[in-house]
Amino acid sequence: MKEFFRSVAALKPIREALARAQKPPWHLVLDKLCGLLEAPEQEGSRKTQALQCIQKLYEECNSSLKQAADAKLTWLTRLCMDAGEDRFRPVVLRSSSPLLVHLAHASVLENVGLSFERTAGLPIIPGTAVKGLVSTWTYWTQIFDGEKFDTKKKPSSRRAFEKPQTILALRVLGDDRGEGSESAGAVIFLGGFPVEVPKLGLDIVNPHHTPQGQEKAPTPNLFLALEPGATWMFPLLVRRGAPDPQALLNAAERWLCESLTELGIGAKTAAGYGRFQKAEEKEKADVLEKMAKLLEKATIEREKRLKEAEARRREEADAKRLASLPPEERDYQKYCAEKTKDDWTRLAAELPRKSSQEKEWILRYFRSPEGKAVIKSWPKNEKAKKRLQNLKDAGL
């Protein structure tokens, strides 16, 4: 692979950076670079070789993809805490069939697209796709009451929009009828995010007809698909100020689960792709527990970073303040920096052995309110009397 990245049609710095990468980003290869692979010497098409290369890179990037999944889960947990449990609901489902979202995504290869985060390459399902699916299912089941579905069909009268379930659907999804949009949806569909990194597999389509002019059988067409069995989260968020958020979340969750289990999402749903099933209660509890642990870890790391940043700010402020002082005062301030009560107690005991300059600094400190407080804190014993006598002999 490194030899390949050294020869890609890109600027020299980019080629060198890609060649140095131990694990090149699989989604960059899929989108931009796999079409530059040389024709294979062994049997098989260039597309097959490219897809096998991408699948291998995806497996090699598993650790970074896991970090991206954990980071996304941590962000969702923080969002839940900020919004409150009454306005946020994590819906946990498990994929039960191969998943093909964004198959027509622009790529150098035809019909091998996948939906993923541009930065980390983590497979995701966009919120627009989720809301579009739920909207289609809800329009079918709530407005037409299960009649034969036709996307071009419109209700014959306004009474269809006056039914309670239809009013609830319009509150959840928004109202965009022909006479003008009345309101935005109260529920925000954030998308679908894998709790665990899904496996990337190769699927196949067998052409049924031999192209005209060819004698041999047509070559099977391979494409990428996320394999079933991964746990996904579909978070729902109610906008601030929306009344009765629990009713909105209950309806949105019900329609979301129904649409994902009955219709499926993405491409080839008619062939059974893109289906999900409800996760077991234990699995949901495990996900929520994982969210809590990730949030705790992220909170500790955040507090650590804040403390480090505050320490750097103090150091910079101290350095700036010291730079503005006269040389004599600057030396004294540096001498006093980071000394504790025990340090000053020890210096009082060792005062006779100190240089004249250091004696002057020690006496100056013990003349200050802080130094007098240290003296008052000493216990009434022989050691304290000797320390006090050392200070008096030096001129305190």
Side-chain angles (χ1 to χ4, degrees):
M1 285 302 300
K2 290 186 176 182
E3 290 73 14
F4 160 66
F5 284 117
R6 291 192 184 97
S7 63
V8 297
L11 297 176
K12 183 178 179 181
I14 297 177
R15 293 201 307 271
E16 293 176 350
L18 289 172
R20 288 194 302 269
Q22 295 181 354
K23 297 177 181 178
W26 74 273
H27 53 297
L28 176 61
V29 178
L30 172 63
D31 266 6
K32 306 295 182 183
L33 303 177
C34 61
L36 301 175
L37 288 169
E38 296 179 359
E41 297 179 358
Q42 65 274 19
E43 293 185 1
S45 67
R46 178 180 299 181
K47 181 178 180 180
T48 300
Q49 184 195 40
L51 295 184
Q52 290 172 345
C53 171
I54 293 167
Q55 185 184 29
K56 181 180 179 181
L57 288 175
Y58 182 90
E59 294 173 355
E60 292 176 351
C61 294
N62 186 269
S63 59
S64 61
L65 292 175
K66 185 179 184 303
Q67 293 177 359
D70 290 346
K72 184 63 67 175
L73 201 59
T74 303
W75 172 74
L76 292 171
T77 309
R78 286 178 175 169
L79 185 63
C80 175
M81 293 190 64
D82 293 341
E85 293 183 359
D86 61 327
R87 294 197 307 112
F88 183 90
R89 181 168 300 176
V91 181
V92 181
L93 300 172
R94 175 173 287 275
S95 61
S96 57
S97 65
L99 183 62
L100 288 170
V101 177
H102 219 339
L103 185 63
H105 175 70
S107 175
V108 294
L109 299 179
E110 185 180 2
N111 291 332
V112 295
L114 287 173
S115 178
F116 50 78
E117 285 187 331
R118 288 179 60 85
T119 304
L122 178 69
I124 61 171
I125 302 175
T128 51
V130 175
K131 184 173 182 179
L133 173 67
V134 175
S135 178
T136 300
W137 174 263
T138 307
Y139 194 80
W140 182 3
T141 59
Q142 301 303 309
I143 296 181
F144 289 109
D145 292 330
E147 296 177 17
K148 185 177 179 181
F149 182 62
D150 185 355
T151 56
K152 298 180 180 180
K153 185 177 179 182
K154 300 295 180 182
S156 58
S157 69
R158 188 173 181 83
R159 285 182 298 176
F161 288 97
E162 295 174 354
K163 295 182 296 184
Q165 66 268 28
T166 305
I167 295 174
L168 179 60
L170 295 176
R171 286 189 59 204
V172 170
L173 299 166
D175 185 356
D176 62 348
R177 284 173 286 172
E179 58 267 28
S181 178
E182 297 182 2
S183 62
V187 177
I188 302 173
F189 295 82
L190 298 174
F193 306 97
V195 178
E196 54 195 25
V197 181
K199 294 182 179 180
L200 184 63
L202 292 179
D203 215 327
I204 189 172
V205 171
N206 287 313
H208 297 286
H209 302 284
T210 303
Q212 187 175 5
Q214 292 187 8
E215 297 181 356
K216 63 179 182 179
T219 303
N221 184 25
L222 270 69
F223 57 90
L224 298 169
L226 297 177
E227 296 183 358
T231 303
W232 289 71
M233 178 184 290
F234 296 85
L236 303 173
L237 178 66
V238 176
R239 298 182 188 274
R240 294 184 184 275
D244 199 3
Q246 286 300 307
L248 297 173
L249 288 173
N250 290 338
E253 180 181 8
R254 183 174 73 254
W255 298 332
L256 173 65
C257 293
E258 290 174 352
S259 59
L260 287 173
T261 55
E262 297 293 334
L263 289 182
I265 192 169
K268 299 184 181 295
T269 54
Y273 286 71
R275 302 294 177 88
F276 286 78
Q277 63 185 17
K278 292 184 178 180
E280 298 180 356
E281 292 300 325
K282 183 181 182 304
E283 191 172 7
K284 293 181 181 179
D286 291 343
V287 172
L288 295 178
E289 183 181 358
K290 182 177 181 180
M291 291 175 67
K293 290 181 178 179
L294 288 172
L295 181 62
E296 182 181 1
K297 180 180 177 181
T299 302
I300 294 174
E301 292 177 351
R302 181 174 180 271
E303 291 177 353
K304 180 180 178 182
R305 290 194 299 269
L306 289 175
K307 289 181 180 179
E308 292 175 349
E310 181 62 26
R312 287 194 297 270
R313 284 194 292 268
R314 287 198 301 267
E315 290 177 0
E316 293 173 358
D318 290 342
K320 186 176 181 180
R321 180 179 59 82
L322 289 174
S324 64
L325 296 175
E328 299 82 3
E329 182 66 20
R330 189 185 311 151
D331 293 339
Y332 172 70
Q333 294 292 339
K334 289 181 178 179
Y335 181 78
C336 295
E338 297 183 0
K339 280 187 170 58
T340 64
K341 172 185 171 181
D342 293 339
D343 293 333
W344 289 111
T345 301
R346 176 180 54 79
L347 289 172
E350 300 172 354
L351 186 60
R353 299 192 295 274
K354 299 298 181 181
S355 64
S356 57
Q357 179 63 73
E358 195 169 355
K359 286 180 180 179
E360 181 180 344
W361 288 338
I362 295 172
L363 290 174
R364 178 178 173 181
Y365 173 79
F366 280 104
R367 292 190 184 104
S368 68
E370 294 83 1
K372 292 178 181 179
V374 172
I375 293 175
K376 288 182 179 180
S377 68
W378 289 342
K380 305 299 182 181
N381 55 29
E382 293 299 323
K383 290 184 178 180
K385 290 180 180 179
K386 185 175 181 180
R387 289 194 294 267
L388 188 59
Q389 188 60 45
N390 289 339
L391 294 172
K392 291 180 178 179
D393 293 343
L396 183 66

